[in-house]
Amino acid sequence: MNLQNRDFLKELDFTQDEFLYLIDLSIELKAAKRERREIARMVGRNIALIFEKTSTRTRCAFEVAAFDQGAHTTYLDGSSSQVGHKESIADTARVLSRYYDAIQYRGKTQAIVEELAAYSDVPVYNGLTDEWHPTQMLADFQTMVEHSGRRPNDISFAYVGDTRSNMGNSLLVSGALLGADVRFAAPRELWPAEDVQKIAADLALKSGAKITLTESMEEALPGADFVHTDVWVSMGESVEVWNERVSLLSDYQVNAEAMALTGKPESKFMHCLPGFHNEQTTVGREIADKTGMHDGLEVTHEVFESPNSVVFDQAENRLHTIKAIMVATIGDL
Ligand code: CP
Ligand code: NVA
C-alpha cells in the first residue's frame, strides 16, 4: 500500500482498504512503541501544526508522534503568527511548503483546509474543521477493533447527541465506508445534513454498511457494541446555543439507562473528548448552573468513569493513528 504524499482532509480521501491499512499500521506502531522496538522513519522531517481552534489531544499526538519518529514540529496559532488575519491561506500554504514536509490544520471551515491543500506542495492533514474530524476516526475505529476483537464491518455502534457536528458527519461516513452497523439517535433537526446522509448511503451500498437514523434511543441502542457521544455545543458555536441544545438533547444523555438499552453488559462507552461529565471545568460548571443539569451533560460521571468507558484508550490511539498517517504519507517505508 503506497500512500506517499497523500492529503488527509476528510474520510473520503481514502478507500476502505487504505483506511483499514492505516488502522493496522497504527496497531503495529503502538505495539512497536510499547515493546521499545520502534524504528524512526521520519528522521529529518519537519511538520507545521496550525491551530486556529484549541486542542490538547490532536496537538500533543502530532508532536509526540513526530518526536517518536525523529521529526520536528512547529506550532502556529492565529495570535502568534500571520495565519488567517494578516496572510491568506494560499500564501501561507506556499510559504510553509518551502520549509515543511507536511502541514496539519485545525480551524473553522472545510473550505480553508481544502484551499491550504490546493496551494500546498506537501501533504495536508485535517486536525478538525466544523465539518469533519478525520484523524479522530482512525483512532475511534482502532479502539473499536481492539476492544471487540472484530473488523469494522462486524461492529455495531451508536452515536447519540449532536449528530450534525464534525463528529457526527465523520462517524456516519467512516462507518459507512467501513461497512459497520451505524445507529444515530438525535432530534431530527440535529441529524447530519442531507448531502452527508447521501454520501453515507452511497458508500453503504458498496460496503454493506447498515445505517439507521432515528429520534429514538430505544431504536438506536439495542445491540450496539459501542455507544459514542460528543459535546452538545462544538468549538466555534455561540455559547448562546447551550440552553436550546440542552433542551433538545437532555433525553439523549448517555447515562446508565441508555447503556442498559444496548442489552449488552459489555457494551463500551466512547467520546472523542474533551467531555462534560462533571463540574470540574469552568464551562461544565457554568452550563450546569445555567441549565440545572448537575449530573453531567452529554454523559453522566457514572458512565464516564465506569469500567465500560474506553475514552482514555481512544485518546491514546490518537497518538498511534496520527503517527500512522504521517509515517504512511511522508515516512521512509
Ligand atoms: N478529540 C480531540 O480532537 O481533542 P482535542 O480537541 O484536545 O485535540
Ligand atoms: N465536536 C467537537 C469535537 C472536539 C474534539 C468540537 O468541534 O468542538
Side-chain angles (χ1 to χ4, degrees):
M1 183 74 67
N2 181 355
L3 301 181
Q4 288 283 303
N5 294 316
R6 296 271 294 272
D7 294 323
F8 190 24
L9 307 180
K10 55 190 184 306
E11 292 76 7
L12 280 179
D13 289 347
F14 290 121
T15 64
Q16 184 188 85
D17 282 349
E18 289 169 344
F19 211 96
L20 292 172
Y21 165 79
L22 288 167
I23 293 170
D24 290 339
L25 177 60
S26 175
I27 290 172
E28 165 51 24
L29 288 165
K30 181 176 183 175
K33 179 167 168 122
R34 289 215 169 144
E35 293 159 19
R36 296 188 174 274
R37 55 174 176 81
E38 181 166 356
I39 297 165
R41 298 186 190 279
M42 286 170 39
V43 176
R45 306 296 195 281
N46 295 297
I47 326 287
L49 304 174
I50 306 173
F51 282 86
E52 296 198 287
K53 286 178 178 169
T54 52
S55 168
T56 297
R57 277 145 292 273
T58 309
R59 175 187 178 174
C60 297
F62 267 101
E63 294 207 2
V64 174
F67 303 153
D68 282 349
Q69 284 289 316
H72 300 273
T73 61
T74 304
Y75 176 80
L76 295 156
D77 65 20
S79 61
S80 59
S81 73
Q82 322 289 21
V83 179
H85 55 100
K86 210 176 144 191
E87 189 157 32
S88 70
I89 289 297
D91 293 357
T92 303
R94 286 174 288 181
V95 171
L96 296 182
S97 292
R98 301 290 180 105
Y99 303 161
Y100 293 94
D101 300 284
I103 303 168
Q104 183 282 164
Y105 177 83
R106 165 174 287 199
K108 294 174 197 134
T109 65
Q110 184 68 16
I112 300 174
V113 76
E114 302 271 353
E115 185 182 3
L116 188 71
Y119 281 91
S120 167
D121 296 330
V122 299
V124 172
Y125 314 125
N126 174 0
L128 179 146
T129 56
D130 292 343
E131 290 92 332
W132 305 108
H133 198 0
T135 63
Q136 180 76 46
M137 291 306 107
L138 293 171
D140 286 15
F141 278 89
Q142 177 176 347
T143 309
M144 291 193 277
V145 164
E146 288 174 337
H147 275 281
S148 65
R150 285 182 264 129
R151 301 300 280 170
N153 64 357
D154 204 15
I155 288 171
S156 146
F157 72 88
Y159 175 63
V160 305
D162 180 17
T163 67
R164 40 96 271 174
S165 66
N166 41 24
M167 280 299 294
N169 292 343
S170 283
L171 279 168
L172 185 64
V173 165
S174 43
L177 176 70
L178 300 179
D181 176 354
V182 186
R183 299 100 171 281
F184 274 30
R188 192 173 283 268
E189 57 262 60
L190 295 180
W191 285 7
E194 294 285 335
D195 58 333
V196 176
Q197 290 186 40
K198 170 86 171 72
I199 293 170
D202 290 346
L203 287 168
L205 286 178
K206 272 190 259 155
S207 69
K210 184 165 177 264
I211 294 174
T212 308
L213 264 62
T214 172
E215 295 199 299
S216 160
M217 296 282 267
E218 286 75 15
E219 190 186 342
L221 292 173
D225 302 310
F226 297 89
V227 180
H228 293 245
T229 192
D230 185 18
V231 288
W232 288 343
V233 175
S234 285
M235 289 184 277
E237 291 196 282
S238 156
V239 289
E240 307 300 319
V241 302
W242 266 109
N243 270 336
E244 184 207 341
R245 211 54 71 69
V246 166
S247 66
L248 279 171
L249 288 173
S250 56
D251 291 342
Y252 296 84
Q253 184 187 54
V254 181
N255 48 34
E257 295 76 55
M259 291 303 290
L261 280 174
T262 64
K264 290 187 170 175
E266 71 282 11
S267 177
K268 302 289 188 291
F269 170 69
M270 296 183 64
H271 191 310
C272 65
L273 305 181
F276 296 118
H277 58 97
N278 62 23
E279 292 170 35
Q280 288 173 16
T281 64
T282 316
V283 178
R285 206 165 31 246
E286 270 171 25
I287 304 304
D289 287 343
K290 210 159 126 180
T291 62
M293 283 195 75
H294 288 288
D295 190 14
L297 294 170
E298 72 272 11
V299 55
T300 59
H301 192 60
E302 182 189 13
V303 168
F304 187 91
E305 295 292 349
S306 71
N308 296 59
S309 173
V310 296
V311 295
F312 297 111
D313 292 337
Q314 185 182 359
E316 178 190 332
N317 284 337
R318 298 299 308 288
L319 167 64
H320 309 299
T321 45
I322 281 171
K323 188 182 288 175
I325 185 78
M326 290 198 291
V327 166
T329 53
I330 61 164
D332 301 313
L333 281 174

